[in-house]
Amino acid sequence: MYLILLGPPGAGKGTQAKMLAERYRVPQISTGDILRVAVAAGTPLGKEAKTYMDRGALVPDEVVIGIVRDRLTEPDCQGGYLLDGFPRTVAQVEALTRMLRELGVPLPTVVSLDVGEEEVVRRLAGRRTCQACGEPFHVEFHPARLEGVCDKCGEDLIQREDDKEETIRRRLQVYREQTEPLIGYYQTQGLLETVNGLGETGEVFARISSKLEGRVDKAAAP
Ligand code: AP5
């Protein structure tokens, strides 16, 4: 399975990506998660990325493209991958298309999760994430059994720096300007499946899965 999850911040990409990666046994490649690990570790990459992430801006293309290129050449990506949060700009799409051609792997199916802005703000403002394993929770829609503690690994839940309302609005603006145009591009390529992202996470997962069942991976153009 070769898959890209597209959608605004808070559409549920990370939540669905975890479920899909398990179901289809492919690695989940989340550029946001990779960058947050670098930020937490205080590496030079993390220090640079933090200056963009904290204000809801995109990290420069060349940085993110380099991360994805390195990751896609690892052995576990040979049989498939699930990209979550990449590509986000036209330059990233072009770089990804080149990479896939060079690696000789099939073109992805692109699932665009459709969720309105007010719902997205509600989801992000209430999001809590496990600081150890990254499992997502929501104070209202998906609360942890014990408040502030991860159901899966028992570590503390935290609120992301960029989940303040003002930064959420900025991220949405960046999405509209830089990422939303990719939907039209992938539609033209015949790679796009649009899925309603509203409803229980299990319902959304079932909708995505049924769209994926009928698809055959397309080879990248030589
Ligand atoms: P990234 O981490 O990719 O954030 P994002 O795209 O803004 O997406 P989110 O993680 O906020 O939301 P999501 O769609 O994954 O939703 P989730 O499943 O968590 O990027 C962060 C930053 O890193 C960027 O701003 C940028 O600076 C940088 N970056 C990353 N990639 C980059 C790139 N390619 N280029 C340049 N810069 C890049 O769900 C959200 C909440 O809703 C959770 O609480 C969840 O429990 C809840 N929820 C999920 N599904 C449902 C549902 N069906 N019903 C109710 N609640 C739900």
Side-chain angles (χ1 to χ4, degrees), residues 58-59 61 64-65 85-97:
L58 293 182
V59 173
D61 285 331
V64 185
I65 290 167
F86 183 95
R88 268 169 138 103
T89 64
V90 172
Q92 292 180 19
V93 169
E94 289 169 350
L96 178 64
T97 307

Side-chain angles (χ1 to χ4, degrees), residues 5 10-20 23 113 115 119 123 135-138 140-143 195-210:
L5 282 186
K13 300 182 298 296
T15 302
Q16 296 298 326
K18 283 192 172 25
M19 298 162 81
L20 290 162
R23 160 88 171 258
L113 285 175
V115 178
E119 172 69 8
R123 286 185 185 183
E135 186 68 11
F137 293 88
H138 191 281
E140 189 187 339
F141 307 129
H142 176 38
V195 173
N196 176 4
L198 293 176
E200 295 285 319
T201 54
E203 283 173 45
V204 179
F205 178 68
R207 282 181 212 135
I208 299 174
S209 301
S210 77

